[in-house]
Amino acid sequence: MAEFLTVALTFPTLPYSIVLAFAMVYWLLAACGVVDDGIGGDGVDLELGDDGLHGLSGMFARLGLGGAPVMLVIALLAFFGWTATYFVHLFLLQPLPAPMRWLAGSATAVLALVPAVPVTAWLLRPIRRLLLRLRPVPQRSLLGRVGVVASPQVTGEAGHATVDDGGAGLILQVRVRDGVPLPRGERIVLLDYLPESNHYLVAREHGHPALSFQDSLIPGDKEIHR
């Protein structure tokens, strides 16, 4: 155990040990829901600007490592790099004098990524397919659809309407946008959705014909219908 810690916590294995420990802490926090794990998204689970992890994600894509959360790719690269560096350090570098060990260790730390990249890319192939299945299916946008007022009236403060979605139908919370109440049975058009208050802004159909994009797919359109 002492020899293991000595090798793992000294150069050239130490940098990989630090990255691997950071990745393990990150995934523990992700498992607890403290940070976003990036699964089901676009493969980037952290955002530090165009020169941060976005650029790192692009580099990974060119190496065949795209399509998975960046932290997952980093964790796998760190694991395989650590494994290669650890055994080279254990069996070949320890007997060397300090100056030569640092020189050879630097080369080992860099060259360890050469086999780590294709092995990680190979391992990510089934993971990508699994992540694609876990991604939420884009929901059909309701904006532009025609509904019928079901409450006694729809005002700027209250009201609900029914909308035919091709199935059992939806009952949606709606509010008028221009402040003019609409009576029961009035045909309305859904103009906008306000997620913070979970209702749609509507207007009389006569003045707002159904919009042409009513059948479009808008990824992430996750309205909550009550």
Side-chain angles (χ1 to χ4, degrees):
M1 186 64 176
E3 187 176 29
F4 170 81
L5 292 177
T6 299
V7 175
L9 299 180
T10 55
F11 186 82
T13 312
L14 179 60
Y16 284 108
S17 298
I18 294 174
V19 176
L20 194 57
F22 173 79
M24 292 176 63
V25 171
Y26 175 88
W27 286 109
L28 285 175
L29 294 175
C32 296
V34 178
V35 297
D36 182 17
D37 59 10
I39 296 176
D42 58 0
V44 180
D45 51 1
L46 291 175
E47 293 185 3
L48 296 178
D50 291 337
D51 296 329
L53 286 183
H54 279 306
L56 186 60
S57 178
M59 181 184 69
F60 284 164
R62 289 192 292 272
L63 294 174
L65 303 174
V70 169
M71 283 305 300
L72 175 59
V73 178
I74 291 176
L76 290 174
L77 286 175
F79 173 75
F80 293 121
W82 181 91
T83 301
T85 305
Y86 174 85
F87 286 107
V88 172
H89 187 181
L90 178 64
F91 294 114
L92 298 178
L93 300 183
Q94 281 197 112
L96 298 178
M100 187 174 296
R101 185 170 64 249
W102 276 85
L103 183 61
S106 299
T108 300
V110 174
L111 293 176
L113 290 174
V114 175
V117 169
V119 173
T120 301
W122 174 80
L123 189 61
L124 285 176
R125 291 175 187 172
I127 295 178
R128 287 193 200 97
R129 290 194 290 268
L130 176 61
L131 292 179
L132 287 175
R133 295 192 187 100
L134 293 176
R135 287 182 179 178
V137 178
Q139 299 183 11
R140 188 176 297 277
S141 175
L142 297 177
L143 300 183
R145 289 186 177 272
V146 175
V148 178
V149 175
S151 55
Q153 64 176 358
V154 174
T155 66
E157 291 75 36
H160 60 270
T162 59
V163 175
D164 182 11
D165 65 341
L170 298 172
I171 300 178
L172 307 176
Q173 294 294 326
V174 295
R175 306 288 185 269
V176 292
R177 188 169 66 173
D178 54 12
V180 180
L182 300 175
R184 188 195 303 271
E186 184 75 43
R187 290 174 61 83
I188 49 91
V189 176
L190 305 178
L191 300 178
D192 197 8
Y193 175 67
L194 304 180
E196 64 277 4
S197 52
N198 188 34
H199 68 253
Y200 288 85
L201 294 178
V202 301
R204 183 177 282 106
E205 181 192 16
H206 178 69
H208 295 79
L211 304 179
S212 60
F213 58 82
Q214 68 178 18
D215 291 325
S216 64
L217 290 178
I218 300 180
D221 184 21
K222 301 176 180 176
E223 303 99 340
I224 303 174
H225 310 307
R226 295 176 181 170

